[in-house]
Amino acid sequence: MKLRARTEISAQEERAIRAVFSETRRVGPDQVVVRAGEPVNVSLLLLSGWLARGKDLSGGDRQMTELHVAGDFADLHAFTLKRLDHDVLSLTDCRLAVAPHQALRELTEKFPRLARIYWFLTNVDAAVHREWALSLGRRSALARIAHLFCELHARLDVVGLTYGDSYDFPVTQRELAECTGLTGVHANRTLQELRRRGLIELANRRLTILDKAGLQGVAEFDPDYLYLERRDF
Amino acid sequence: MKLRARTEISAQEERAIRAVFSETRRVGPDQVVVRAGEPVNVSLLLLSGWLARGKDLSGGDRQMTELHVAGDFADLHAFTLKRLDHDVLSLTDCRLAVAPHQALRELTEKFPRLARIYWFLTNVDAAVHREWALSLGRRSALARIAHLFCELHARLDVVGLTYGDSYDFPVTQRELAECTGLTGVHANRTLQELRRRGLIELANRRLTILDKAGLQGVAEFDPDYLYLERRDF
DNA sequence: CGAAGCATTGAAGTGCGTCAACAATCGTGG
DNA sequence: CCACGATTGTTGACGCACTTCAATGCTTCG
């Protein structure tokens, strides 16, 4: 569904893609799904739930580098890297489809177009990293959180997980702070400021964007970096 | 040279790679080499000089997302993305080799192994982005700059551009600040603190690491994220 | 040689961090 | 179904790392 939002996938390609996944796996919340540094020979497609990628410093501080939702190939880059420089963490219960690298290698050799599509997906992840770097380096706390909420709405919309201007947001304030380079306390105060301005509602793990133009304005959000438009490969 | 530092390249592969580049181009310092959003159908291998990738906010603030040195394929990800979400900027005089995407496509279809190698290179760029996100989100100004100096030493070493513990560093303090999410003023003060601690020397666009263990300690630098080890593809 | 960019310094301000306490909610076992 | 501990969210007081503004000297280069 996520691929078809961007390009045509033939029946033959779809069969080949489905054949890559050897099994599905379930993990509970707050698990280390893949640990940094360990050799990996499979990649994980997230079917449901939320994952995060995060790097730790020795002092205990953690920086998330991306959030993943259903449809995301969470560690496809491990196909070429063979180990990860960060942990993959489950934020909720998750269902994962497992793609052995050997099968991915055969798929991409047989279907160079699919290789380009998967390569593209990892490059979009890199584009998300760059946008986060811009947030972390130059945006205020208010704009960082606003921007993240805009990004997630756009990405969840692709896979049909938005309900108008709202979506499930099962991320704790501490985790949100770990994404935005803030402390939990300040993330809390910033959320309250977003509420006070009438931009969002956030309660019971459900986020509603009350003023989309206002939120996007605060964030200077422009979805170009998500490369959502349809295209040839 | 950069590829051969990591893996074997056969004579046949080398010929095919060389044939991809159609021409070389020169640009002066402080030029926009590729502008965000514009369609691109070539990628640029940096032969000499320094490039940066940067994103701007409306207020005039700029965040660099990566620095590039000789041997780097500065916008290889454009091969799959077809436009960039950021500008590519020249910091110095640069020589660039131009790789048309059509030729890259033929190369990667004919040599799936080279496709994986190039895919790998873009994924290493993403790993650098993640490390920068960790710096921007969680490291102090001192650690951010120290970390960048460690990263550049490791990367320049691969292509033979270090002289022991020093290397040419033609980056202004303003540009350094744009990389590290600081103001120029604070980058200046932080550099002085690094000098005061006897960790570095920086003068005449030449950086010398006086205390490598000390600098790496301040930065919590671990080169694993650069994926420099030799490997099969 | 002059202008423009770059590096440096000082003084003052602020956005976010830290510490600490408490409230609300969740999850789990009895 | 309730009890209770643990996690999450909220609030206040205070501190500090970094920013802002402004001025001055230093390079660089046409």
Side-chain angles (χ1 to χ4, degrees), chain B:
Chain B
M1 179 171 180
K2 184 175 165 191
L3 297 185
R4 287 214 159 104
R6 284 183 170 116
T7 193
E8 308 300 323
I9 301 289
S10 71
Q12 185 194 19
E13 285 170 335
E14 179 175 341
R15 274 195 306 277
I17 290 170
R18 287 187 186 279
V20 160
F21 296 97
S22 59
E23 53 168 329
T24 64
R25 191 185 292 176
R26 285 174 180 275
V27 298
D30 303 313
Q31 304 295 308
V32 179
V33 180
V34 186
R35 193 171 298 277
E38 292 184 357
V40 288
N41 51 32
V42 299
S43 286
L44 302 168
L45 177 66
L46 180 56
L47 300 175
S48 68
W50 289 60
L51 292 174
R53 310 206 228 161
K55 302 190 74 146
D56 293 342
L57 285 177
S58 66
D61 283 344
R62 167 177 292 168
Q63 179 61 46
M64 301 300 194
T65 60
E66 194 169 6
L67 289 180
H68 286 297
V69 298
D72 289 353
F73 227 134
D75 60 347
L76 180 55
H77 54 305
F79 172 54
T80 62
L81 296 177
K82 300 306 178 196
R83 64 179 163 82
L84 293 186
D85 47 88
H86 57 268
D87 295 324
V88 177
L89 308 155
S90 60
L91 303 184
T92 67
D93 277 307
C94 292
R95 284 187 311 122
L96 302 159
V98 179
H101 288 166
Q102 180 58 36
L104 274 172
R105 179 165 169 165
E106 288 158 12
L107 178 77
T108 54
E109 295 214 348
K110 189 164 171 200
F111 297 92
R113 179 170 178 275
L114 292 183
R116 285 192 294 274
I117 290 174
Y118 284 132
W119 188 352
F120 165 83
L121 290 176
T122 63
N123 285 342
V124 173
D125 283 330
V128 171
H129 293 337
R130 288 189 288 274
E131 192 67 36
W132 283 39
L134 177 60
S135 278
L136 292 166
R138 296 298 176 199
R139 286 190 176 97
S140 67
L142 199 75
R144 279 182 225 179
I145 292 181
H147 194 278
L148 181 59
F149 289 162
C150 291
E151 173 183 314
L152 289 170
H153 186 272
R155 289 171 52 195
L156 288 165
D157 207 39
V158 173
V159 286
L161 290 176
T162 53
Y163 312 93
D165 286 334
S166 33
Y167 52 88
D168 288 323
F169 185 69
V171 178
T172 67
Q173 292 187 8
R174 156 170 284 275
E175 290 158 351
L176 176 61
E178 288 171 344
C179 292
T180 50
L182 303 169
T183 58
V185 170
H186 199 64
N188 178 284
R189 292 193 227 270
T190 305
L191 281 174
Q192 290 176 52
E193 176 65 15
L194 287 170
R195 286 191 270 244
R196 197 194 60 74
R197 295 193 187 191
L199 298 173
I200 63 155
E201 208 171 85
L202 174 57
N204 305 316
R205 319 207 123 192
R206 163 66 67 122
L207 182 84
T208 303
I209 299 174
L210 297 175
D211 176 358
K212 199 163 185 183
L215 194 69
Q216 293 181 343
V218 165
E220 293 193 33
F221 178 74
D222 176 343
D224 280 358
Y225 76 98
L226 294 172
Y227 296 90
L228 294 172
E229 73 276 9
R230 295 188 68 77
R231 55 174 61 219
D232 298 324
F233 283 96

Side-chain angles (χ1 to χ4, degrees), chain A residues 181-197:
Chain A
L182 303 168
T183 58
V185 171
H186 201 65
N188 178 285
R189 293 194 224 270
T190 306
L191 281 174
Q192 290 176 52
E193 176 66 14
L194 287 170
R195 286 191 270 244
R196 197 194 62 71
R197 295 193 187 190

